[in-house]
Amino acid sequence: MTQPRPTLRIDKWLWHARFFKTRSLATRIVEEGAVRVNSARVTKPATAIGAGDVLTFAQGQTVRVVLVISLPDRRGPASEAQACYADLSEIRETVPEKPQLEGHGRPSKRERRQAISLRQGVLE
Protein backbone atom coordinates (compact mmCIF):
# COMPACT_ATOMS: atom_id res chain seq x y z
CA MET A 1 0.00 0.00 0.00
CA THR A 2 1.35 3.45 -0.90
CA GLN A 3 1.73 6.05 1.74
CA PRO A 4 0.07 9.41 1.10
CA ARG A 5 2.37 12.26 0.18
CA PRO A 6 3.01 14.63 3.11
CA THR A 7 1.37 18.00 2.46
CA LEU A 8 0.91 21.39 4.11
CA ARG A 9 -1.51 24.27 3.58
CA ILE A 10 -0.17 26.75 1.03
CA ASP A 11 -0.67 29.81 3.25
CA LYS A 12 1.13 28.09 6.11
CA TRP A 13 4.02 27.03 3.86
CA LEU A 14 4.46 30.57 2.46
CA TRP A 15 4.57 31.89 6.02
CA HIS A 16 6.93 29.14 7.28
CA ALA A 17 9.27 29.72 4.32
CA ARG A 18 9.33 33.44 5.25
CA PHE A 19 7.96 34.82 2.00
CA PHE A 20 5.34 36.79 3.92
CA LYS A 21 5.63 38.40 7.33
CA THR A 22 2.30 37.14 8.67
CA ARG A 23 0.14 34.15 7.89
CA SER A 24 -2.89 36.40 7.37
CA LEU A 25 -0.99 38.28 4.66
CA ALA A 26 -0.12 34.98 2.96
CA THR A 27 -3.79 33.96 3.22
CA ARG A 28 -4.92 37.22 1.63
CA ILE A 29 -2.48 36.85 -1.28
CA VAL A 30 -3.73 33.32 -1.95
CA GLU A 31 -7.40 34.36 -1.72
CA GLU A 32 -6.79 37.13 -4.25
CA GLY A 33 -5.66 34.48 -6.73
CA ALA A 34 -2.10 35.79 -6.93
CA VAL A 35 -0.54 32.35 -6.38
CA ARG A 36 -0.18 29.52 -8.88
CA VAL A 37 0.67 25.92 -8.01
CA ASN A 38 2.10 23.96 -10.94
CA SER A 39 0.78 26.74 -13.25
CA ALA A 40 -2.80 26.37 -11.95
CA ARG A 41 -4.34 29.39 -10.19
CA VAL A 42 -5.19 28.80 -6.53
CA THR A 43 -7.73 30.80 -4.50
CA LYS A 44 -8.11 28.65 -1.39
CA PRO A 45 -5.55 28.99 1.42
CA ALA A 46 -6.20 25.39 2.47
CA THR A 47 -4.82 24.04 -0.81
CA ALA A 48 -2.36 21.27 -0.01
CA ILE A 49 1.15 21.44 -1.46
CA GLY A 50 4.07 19.09 -1.10
CA ALA A 51 7.62 18.50 -2.21
CA GLY A 52 8.04 18.85 -5.97
CA ASP A 53 5.35 21.51 -6.47
CA VAL A 54 6.26 24.75 -8.23
CA LEU A 55 4.78 27.97 -6.82
CA THR A 56 4.54 31.24 -8.73
CA PHE A 57 3.53 34.43 -6.91
CA ALA A 58 4.21 38.14 -6.74
CA GLN A 59 6.26 39.46 -3.86
CA GLY A 60 6.61 43.20 -3.88
CA GLN A 61 7.65 44.30 -7.37
CA THR A 62 9.04 40.91 -8.40
CA VAL A 63 7.53 37.61 -9.50
CA ARG A 64 8.92 34.64 -7.58
CA VAL A 65 9.07 31.10 -8.98
CA VAL A 66 9.85 28.60 -6.24
CA LEU A 67 10.28 24.82 -6.19
CA VAL A 68 9.12 23.25 -2.91
CA ILE A 69 11.86 20.93 -1.65
CA SER A 70 10.54 20.07 1.81
CA LEU A 71 7.85 20.95 4.33
CA PRO A 72 9.09 22.80 7.41
CA ASP A 73 7.95 21.75 10.88
CA ARG A 74 8.04 25.26 12.27
CA ARG A 75 8.72 28.88 11.31
CA GLY A 76 12.36 28.93 12.20
CA PRO A 77 15.28 31.15 11.20
CA ALA A 78 15.80 32.30 7.61
CA SER A 79 18.60 29.81 6.99
CA GLU A 80 16.27 26.96 7.94
CA ALA A 81 13.49 28.38 5.76
CA GLN A 82 15.75 28.73 2.71
CA ALA A 83 16.52 25.02 2.86
CA CYS A 84 12.84 24.28 2.15
CA TYR A 85 12.79 25.71 -1.39
CA ALA A 86 14.82 26.35 -4.52
CA ASP A 87 14.40 29.78 -6.10
CA LEU A 88 13.89 29.43 -9.86
CA SER A 89 13.10 33.09 -10.57
CA GLU A 90 15.47 35.50 -12.26
CA ILE A 91 17.47 37.61 -9.87
CA ARG A 92 17.53 41.23 -10.98
CA GLU A 93 20.06 43.46 -9.33
CA THR A 94 18.41 46.85 -8.76
CA VAL A 95 21.11 48.37 -6.56
CA PRO A 96 23.92 50.01 -8.52
CA GLU A 97 27.39 48.65 -7.85
CA LYS A 98 28.95 52.01 -7.02
CA PRO A 99 26.33 54.59 -6.03
CA GLN A 100 28.94 57.28 -5.41
CA LEU A 101 29.72 57.33 -9.14
CA GLU A 102 26.10 58.25 -9.89
CA GLY A 103 26.18 61.31 -7.67
CA HIS A 104 24.23 59.67 -4.84
CA GLY A 105 27.14 59.02 -2.53
CA ARG A 106 28.26 61.05 0.44
CA PRO A 107 28.81 64.71 -0.44
CA SER A 108 32.32 66.13 -0.34
CA LYS A 109 33.30 68.91 2.03
CA ARG A 110 32.97 71.44 -0.77
CA GLU A 111 29.47 70.22 -1.67
CA ARG A 112 28.41 70.40 2.00
CA ARG A 113 29.66 74.00 2.28
CA GLN A 114 27.76 74.95 -0.87
CA ALA A 115 24.57 73.40 0.49
CA ILE A 116 24.98 75.24 3.82
CA SER A 117 25.53 78.56 2.06
CA LEU A 118 22.44 77.99 -0.10
CA ARG A 119 20.33 77.27 2.99
CA GLN A 120 21.65 80.32 4.81
CA GLY A 121 20.86 82.54 1.83
CA VAL A 122 17.24 81.37 1.87
CA LEU A 123 16.83 82.01 5.59
CA GLU A 124 18.21 85.58 5.51
Side-chain angles (χ1 to χ4, degrees):
M1 197 164 178
T2 353
Q3 298 234 346
R5 171 177 99 141
T7 58
L8 188 68
R9 289 174 56 114
I10 190 167
D11 61 336
K12 207 169 184 182
W13 188 88
L14 288 169
W15 177 64
H16 279 277
R18 295 186 164 269
F19 285 108
F20 297 101
K21 194 170 186 176
T22 62
R23 186 170 167 193
S24 60
L25 180 60
T27 302
R28 191 174 79 220
I29 296 296
V30 173
E31 286 175 344
E32 291 173 357
V35 179
R36 293 179 179 266
V37 177
N38 299 327
S39 71
R41 190 175 179 193
V42 175
T43 57
K44 295 188 177 185
T47 302
I49 62 166
D53 288 336
V54 177
L55 306 179
T56 307
F57 57 94
Q59 185 181 27
Q61 299 294 323
T62 61
V63 175
R64 302 288 300 261
V65 180
V66 175
L67 173 67
V68 178
I69 295 175
S70 65
L71 303 175
D73 297 329
R74 64 187 184 112
R75 188 172 197 259
S79 58
E80 190 177 302
Q82 288 171 352
C84 296
Y85 64 89
D87 197 357
L88 305 175
S89 56
E90 292 180 14
I91 299 172
R92 296 181 186 162
E93 194 65 36
T94 57
V95 179
E97 290 182 23
K98 297 185 179 182
Q100 68 271 15
L101 297 179
E102 295 183 7
H104 300 295
R106 184 176 175 182
S108 65
K109 189 170 186 174
R110 181 178 180 200
E111 291 169 340
R112 286 195 308 272
R113 286 181 179 162
Q114 288 173 347
I116 290 170
S117 67
L118 285 174
R119 278 185 261 152
Q120 287 176 351
V122 173
L123 295 176
E124 292 176 2

